[in-house]
Amino acid sequence: MSTYSRLVRFLPRNGAQPLIGEPVDRQVDVGLATLEGKDVEVDVVEGSSVLSPGAKTGNKEVVGKLLSPLSQSEVGTIRCIGLNYVTHAQEVNLPMPDVPTLFLKPATSLGDPYPAPVVIPKAFVGDDAADYESELALVIGKDAKNVTEAEALDYLAGFTAANDISSRKAQFAQSQWCYSKSFDGACPVGPAFVPKEQVAQVADLAIRGEFNGEVVQSSKMTDLIFSVPKIISFLSQGTTLPAGTIIITGTPAGVGWSKTPKKLLRDGDEFRVFISHGVGTLVNKIVEEK
């Protein structure tokens, strides 16, 4: 059982080596505090990964730059579940799926929280079709293969937030979605990792998406079509999910492409994904590649 309420991975204000630690203030939203330029003090731990943090060192550091809770080398291939909220299926006029829909993002799509931007590649800028998807991200804590739904949560380390950035014209031009969702930094993750022990019931987790200050997505996990244990079990059948694997679990209703008029990501925009229970707010500014 984890002894930490949550962990962040960061570069200290006066250092270039990534560190792991627990924010001293248990109430602070780390993502919003860094956006506002406030000091976030962290109790540094011995380990170099949220999966094996070790003991506190006794040292405290101030966050200079937030990083995704796991590195690219830890995450590997990101597993993604499409069409997994009842209200989202309804808004896009698609039938409820009988089995989870899986697509993949490469490790190079992993992005950091603010101040790291989400960059819309110049190859996609002209399409004017960049969209957001607020998502709950699961982190696998130990290698999982052929696990049952009953034992699936034993393999879950904890939770964080993600934004599944997508280019809709490219997405709907193909039967496979990877191309339209896999560009560098198209999966920002963070700001904090919350161990599963801090969440009594997964269904109680709340998610919210804000586009330039307007709430555009809001839900609880009770709206999921496929539960967290179902997703983990399904993805592990015949395929090992290594420790560190991130699974993003689908997005609630309110995506920009489905709105009238459409709300699409453009240069200078800001998107925020909030997850409750201490994860906090994942903030990214949008930059169009020149």
Side-chain angles (χ1 to χ4, degrees):
M1 179 176 289
S2 174
T3 58
Y4 300 108
S5 61
R6 56 183 177 159
L7 293 165
V8 293
R9 181 169 162 266
F10 66 101
L11 294 177
R13 179 173 292 169
N14 298 311
Q17 184 68 32
L19 299 174
I20 305 290
E22 181 179 42
V24 172
D25 184 345
R26 291 196 169 204
Q27 303 303 316
V28 68
D29 185 319
V30 175
L32 292 182
T34 54
L35 175 68
E36 295 164 2
K38 296 178 180 177
D39 285 353
V40 176
E41 192 175 36
V42 177
D43 277 317
V44 178
V45 299
E46 295 171 341
S48 59
S49 171
V50 298
L51 300 179
S52 53
K56 292 182 180 179
T57 64
N59 297 327
K60 291 181 171 61
E61 294 282 358
V62 174
V63 172
K65 180 183 180 182
L66 274 177
L67 304 173
S68 60
L70 295 108
S71 66
Q72 284 188 11
S73 61
E74 291 180 286
V75 167
T77 301
I78 300 168
R79 272 69 166 184
C80 315
I81 302 297
L83 203 66
N84 194 33
Y85 282 74
V86 172
T87 51
H88 179 48
Q90 291 170 343
E91 78 172 337
V92 295
N93 296 313
L94 290 172
M96 302 295 168
D98 296 322
V99 296
T101 298
L102 169 67
F103 63 95
L104 307 174
K105 285 176 176 267
T108 49
S109 70
L110 183 68
D112 295 325
Y114 177 87
V118 165
V119 178
I120 308 303
K122 56 187 175 183
F124 297 96
V125 169
D127 289 342
D128 192 26
D131 203 357
Y132 54 82
E133 293 189 16
S134 306
E135 309 220 4
L136 172 69
L138 314 178
V139 178
I140 298 298
K142 58 183 179 179
D143 291 2
K145 184 177 181 180
N146 296 332
V147 303
T148 66
E149 288 185 47
E151 62 190 3
L153 293 183
D154 294 340
Y155 294 83
L156 177 68
F159 307 93
T160 187
N163 192 349
D164 176 18
I165 303 294
S166 310
S167 183
R168 298 299 189 195
K169 286 186 179 179
Q171 179 181 356
F172 299 130
Q174 300 179 348
S175 60
Q176 300 291 324
W177 297 348
C178 296
Y179 175 73
S180 62
K181 292 170 170 277
S182 291
F183 45 87
D184 291 353
C187 192
V189 171
F193 164 81
V194 172
K196 65 182 178 184
E197 292 85 2
Q198 300 298 319
V199 180
Q201 297 290 333
V202 176
D204 293 336
L205 285 165
I207 186 169
R208 184 175 67 246
E210 295 184 23
F211 180 51
N212 291 336
E214 176 189 356
V215 176
V216 290
Q217 296 184 287
S218 183
S219 183
K220 283 197 170 181
M221 297 307 123
T222 49
D223 195 42
L224 288 178
I225 298 171
F226 302 107
S227 68
V228 167
K230 173 65 176 180
I231 291 168
I232 295 172
S233 175
F234 176 82
L235 294 179
S236 77
Q237 298 309 304
T239 300
T240 300
L241 304 176
T245 296
I246 286 178
I247 303 169
I248 60 175
T249 55
T251 195
V255 296
W257 190 258
S258 296
K259 291 185 177 295
T260 304
K262 290 178 170 52
K263 289 184 178 292
L264 301 171
L265 300 174
R266 300 186 178 105
D267 200 66
D269 287 336
E270 177 190 275
F271 199 85
R272 304 181 180 187
V273 181
F274 168 81
I275 299 284
S276 63
H277 291 67
V279 172
T281 306
L282 171 66
V283 182
N284 291 102
K285 306 284 188 178
I286 309 303
V287 173
E288 294 176 353
E289 186 179 28
K290 302 298 189 285

